[in-house]
Amino acid sequence: SPSTQRQIDEARTAVVASLGNMLDRELQGRGALLHANNAAIERQERDVSRAADALRRENDKLARLAADHTRKVKEIGNVQNWAEMLEREFLIVEETLRLVREGSGSGSGSWSGSGSW
């Protein structure tokens, strides 16, 4: 009957509206949560970006410090090499003087300079 069909249509419309309202409320809550999470993620991205920039600056500073100390260590190595070279030269001079003194005591009287080392 038309009356029954009309009641069925109204009931169907009411059920669809009720389901729509339930879904809307749930989806609105989820949407609000998504927007809040998105804002938190954006804040975290900014914080991470700032931290990465600070880390980059610190890394550059440490790289400069390492380069400076590497240069100083090389200088110390050069000074050490220079000192060792001087020590070798002094040992050669000392040995030469000893040989000259020993040679002058043997009675030869002069050193020709043509001796083999």
Side-chain angles (χ1 to χ4, degrees):
S1 76
S3 167
T4 306
Q5 186 62 38
R6 190 174 52 91
Q7 287 176 349
I8 292 172
D9 288 341
E10 287 176 2
R12 186 176 292 141
T13 303
V15 168
V16 168
S18 177
L19 288 174
N21 286 338
M22 285 186 342
L23 290 175
D24 281 348
R25 277 194 302 265
E26 188 176 330
L27 291 177
Q28 285 175 355
R30 288 182 182 180
L33 183 60
L34 288 172
H35 285 291
N37 287 343
N38 187 48
I41 289 171
E42 287 175 352
R43 273 193 311 275
Q44 290 172 356
E45 285 177 344
R46 285 192 302 271
D47 292 347
V48 167
S49 178
R50 280 190 219 115
D53 289 342
L55 183 60
R56 192 175 303 109
R57 286 190 300 275
E58 188 67 23
N59 190 36
D60 291 345
K61 187 184 350 175
L62 290 174
R64 287 190 300 273
L65 185 65
D68 185 45
H69 282 80
T70 299
R71 183 183 51 78
K72 289 178 181 180
V73 167
K74 285 181 181 178
E75 287 176 7
I76 289 171
N78 288 340
V79 169
Q80 183 178 357
N81 288 339
W82 178 75
E84 289 172 357
M85 183 187 72
L86 284 178
E87 183 181 9
R88 281 192 304 273
E89 295 295 323
F90 285 137
L91 288 174
I92 291 170
V93 168
E94 184 180 330
E95 180 65 15
T96 303
L97 289 174
R98 186 187 66 76
L99 291 173
V100 167
R101 282 188 203 115
E102 287 178 2
S104 64
S106 65
S108 65
S110 68
W111 176 63
S112 66
S114 61
S116 168
W117 297 103

